[in-house]
Amino acid sequence: MRTALVTGVTIVTTLLPQGVQSPPLPGRLADTGGGSQLITAVAPAPGSTTGRLTWWDRRAGHWYQAGSADARFGARGLTEGTTRTQGTDTTPAGLYELPYAFGIRRAPAGTAYSYRRVTDRSWWCQDNASASYNRWVEPLPADCAPGEAEHLVTYEKQYAHALLIAFNYAEPVRGRGAGIFLHVNGKGATAGCVSVPEGAMREILRWADPRRRPHIAIGTESGALAVTRY
């Protein structure tokens, strides 16, 4: 089923009692990363495998919706990022930087992000015993077991285009998880990443501007993992 993208520039508000307007979702977050672009990935509940991803621009002190698409999450839903365990097929809730883009296919025209092309030598090491844990490696180093790494080129559909989500990335904690990306949909739920239709992924790459310090906030509509906590 084709997913329709919401494009253009609109400001999203919700009417409260007595006609008071609630600010758009980014205005209700505890932190947006300090930039003027933001992606929100919101699931209805912790166990949900689907939800909504929206990208936002901040101009003149206000957040405006730039686009939106259906999103998929981990096969076992979402969990708190700071206590996540590797291999649980859960998407880590939290606020994260988006360091660079990559893909098997060429970057969409207009992509401003640094974009790394995947080759048959490209791997993502997830081996807790490796010095390259949670890092792109070319070629696969001797201390990273092939069974504990993703050979990126084999994920032809999912990694056609992607953005690295900097979960457990700056100072990796062993056993917390590795290789969390925003990427193109596969056949179903993910192993912990966030995914969207290919058209939406291409649109996001054309929209995202690293000079505006975009971040991604992942969470639920309410409760302990509410996206507004991050």
Side-chain angles (χ1 to χ4, degrees), residues 40-116:
T40 54
V42 184
S48 302
T49 60
T50 60
R52 196 73 182 168
L53 185 136
T54 306
W55 48 107
W56 306 83
D57 289 305
R58 184 174 176 82
R59 297 191 301 275
H62 298 281
W63 286 101
Y64 296 86
Q65 180 177 307
S68 186
D70 289 335
R72 296 176 183 173
F73 300 98
R76 295 187 180 179
L78 284 70
T79 192
E80 173 59 50
T82 57
T83 56
R84 182 181 184 269
T85 300
Q86 184 166 326
T88 54
D89 290 343
T90 52
T91 298
L95 178 70
Y96 306 105
E97 295 181 353
L98 299 163
Y100 64 86
F102 67 92
I104 295 170
R105 298 181 189 172
R106 293 177 180 173
T111 299
Y113 253 90
S114 173
Y115 190 91
R116 191 168 187 177

Side-chain angles (χ1 to χ4, degrees), residues 135-222:
R135 288 293 184 271
W136 179 305
V137 290
E138 288 188 5
L140 188 68
D143 73 343
C144 187
E148 298 292 331
E150 280 193 351
H151 195 193
L152 298 178
V153 74
T154 63
Y155 295 87
E156 182 177 0
K157 186 173 183 180
Q158 293 94 323
Y159 298 157
H161 306 292
L163 272 165
L164 169 62
I165 296 175
F167 164 72
N168 199 31
Y169 189 72
E171 298 179 1
V173 175
R174 310 289 167 157
R176 183 154 294 164
I180 301 297
F181 313 123
L182 172 59
H183 63 68
V184 177
N185 284 341
K187 292 182 179 180
T190 73
C193 296
V194 180
S195 73
V196 292
E198 182 176 354
M201 192 69 234
R202 293 176 63 86
E203 183 65 25
I204 290 165
L205 288 175
R206 285 190 287 263
W207 160 84
D209 184 348
R211 295 171 298 182
R212 297 178 63 188
R213 298 167 58 200
H215 287 64
I216 185 168
I218 304 170
T220 55
E221 292 176 358
S222 60

